[in-house]
Every structure is written in C-alpha cells, then in structure tokens.
Amino acid sequence: MLKNKYLTFDLKSSQKIIADVKDYIRKYECPELALDLNGINAIEAAKIIVMTSTFHNKKYPQGKLICKTQSAIKNFVSEITTKNLEFII
C-alpha cells in the first residue's frame, strides 16, 4: 500500500470490515497499513481497531497499523491494543 493512502469503508458492519481488512492483510504485503475509520461510529471503530491491530501484529510484529479516527476512539482503545497501532486524528 502506498504511503498516505488509506483503506476506506462505506459499510457500517464492523464484522464485514474486519473480514475485508483480514483478507487484505492475507493477500498483500502491508507491513504498514492505514485505515480511515472516520465515518464509522465509535463502538464499531473500536472493535475494528482492536481486531485488525491484533491480526496485523501477528503477520507483521514490527509493522504499523495507522488509524485515521476521532480522538475519543484513540483514548478508548489506546491502552488495550497492540504496540503496532498509531492514530491520526
């Protein structure tokens, strides 16, 4: 994935988004992956971040998952996620 490009989502289903991100991680080399979750509600975004961060970290222990999201979501999940997570507000 090119730097400064984000995977974006029109769907409101966190399960579908998580499945899509996992498929992307399986298919492509993406030690640095960026997700734009600004259009997703806070609870759904938190689920997506936790699940995809864990999955991404398994494949890329030294990688980085960059999440473009609201600051409230960052505060909510920052203490329970993996070390590979970075937020852009």
Side-chain angles (χ1 to χ4, degrees):
M1 174 163 274
L2 298 175
K3 200 170 193 167
N4 297 325
K5 295 261 183 162
Y6 291 88
L7 288 179
T8 58
F9 309 97
D10 294 327
L11 305 171
K12 300 301 178 202
S13 165
S14 61
Q15 298 298 14
K16 174 70 171 132
I17 292 170
I18 291 166
D20 289 349
V21 174
K22 284 182 173 182
D23 283 345
Y24 187 90
I25 292 168
R26 283 185 196 106
K27 290 179 184 176
Y28 302 102
E29 282 298 311
C30 54
E32 185 172 296
L33 179 61
L35 306 176
D36 184 349
L37 300 172
N38 270 328
I40 310 291
N41 77 54
I43 299 298
E44 298 299 310
K47 285 195 287 189
I48 293 164
I49 290 168
V50 170
M51 296 300 292
T52 57
S53 174
T54 302
F55 190 80
H56 188 266
N57 190 54
K58 285 181 183 177
K59 185 173 180 182
Y60 301 106
Q62 303 302 316
K64 186 184 300 185
L65 183 65
I66 303 163
C67 296
K68 186 174 181 182
T69 190
Q70 305 160 22
S71 62
I73 296 168
K74 175 186 175 185
N75 295 338
F76 181 67
V77 299
S78 64
E79 297 200 20
I80 59 172
T81 56
T82 59
K83 64 182 178 184
N84 67 332
L85 193 56
E86 178 179 310
F87 288 95
I88 297 186
I89 308 301

